[in-house]
Amino acid sequence: MSSKVNIEEIDRLAQLARLRFDGVEKEEILSDMNKMIDFINKLEELDTEGVEPLLFMVDETQDLRADDVIVSTTKEEALKNAPLKDSDYFKIPKVLDKN
């Protein structure tokens, strides 16, 4: 990947993304994109023969706690202070009108 981005390609990308740039912004984007391509070209110079691809950025594993289900509030406790309730549910005022 040694090609550079030009203004016509910036215009085409802007059109596809439904974006508008003034002349100064186009020049800044052109410069940034060409810097990214230069960086990728620099990375391609590295010898990666025998290097395994990374799945994660660190080799450490996370110690996760067990996912235990614990009932902390009973249904009766949850409904106790509700202004409107049914035997098993909270009741709320109607919010949608079906007209």
Side-chain angles (χ1 to χ4, degrees):
M1 178 182 263
S2 61
S3 64
K4 296 284 185 177
V5 178
N6 58 37
I7 290 292
E8 291 79 27
E9 290 170 314
I10 299 294
D11 289 337
R12 179 70 178 136
L13 289 172
Q15 178 189 12
L16 291 172
R18 306 287 192 257
L19 298 172
R20 290 189 181 146
F21 304 118
D22 64 22
V24 174
E25 291 172 325
K26 280 184 192 179
E27 289 298 327
E28 289 174 356
I29 291 170
L30 178 65
S31 173
D32 289 345
M33 292 187 80
N34 283 323
K35 285 178 187 176
M36 287 185 252
I37 290 173
D38 290 341
F39 181 72
I40 291 169
N41 288 335
K42 191 71 169 168
L43 289 176
E44 287 179 348
E45 294 175 9
L46 296 174
D47 179 23
T48 57
E49 189 68 34
V51 176
E52 292 291 322
L54 292 176
L55 296 177
F56 304 101
M57 294 305 294
V58 294
D59 291 332
E60 299 173 8
T61 58
Q62 293 183 1
D63 295 325
L64 303 175
R65 65 172 172 78
D67 193 13
D68 298 326
V69 177
I70 300 171
V71 178
S72 60
T73 304
T74 66
K75 180 173 36 174
E76 291 77 21
E77 289 173 328
L79 291 170
K80 182 172 56 176
N81 293 322
L84 293 172
K85 59 187 168 205
D86 194 349
S87 62
D88 293 331
Y89 306 100
F90 293 101
K91 286 185 156 184
I92 61 168
K94 183 188 270 188
V95 291
L96 297 176
D97 191 17
K98 293 184 178 182
N99 286 339

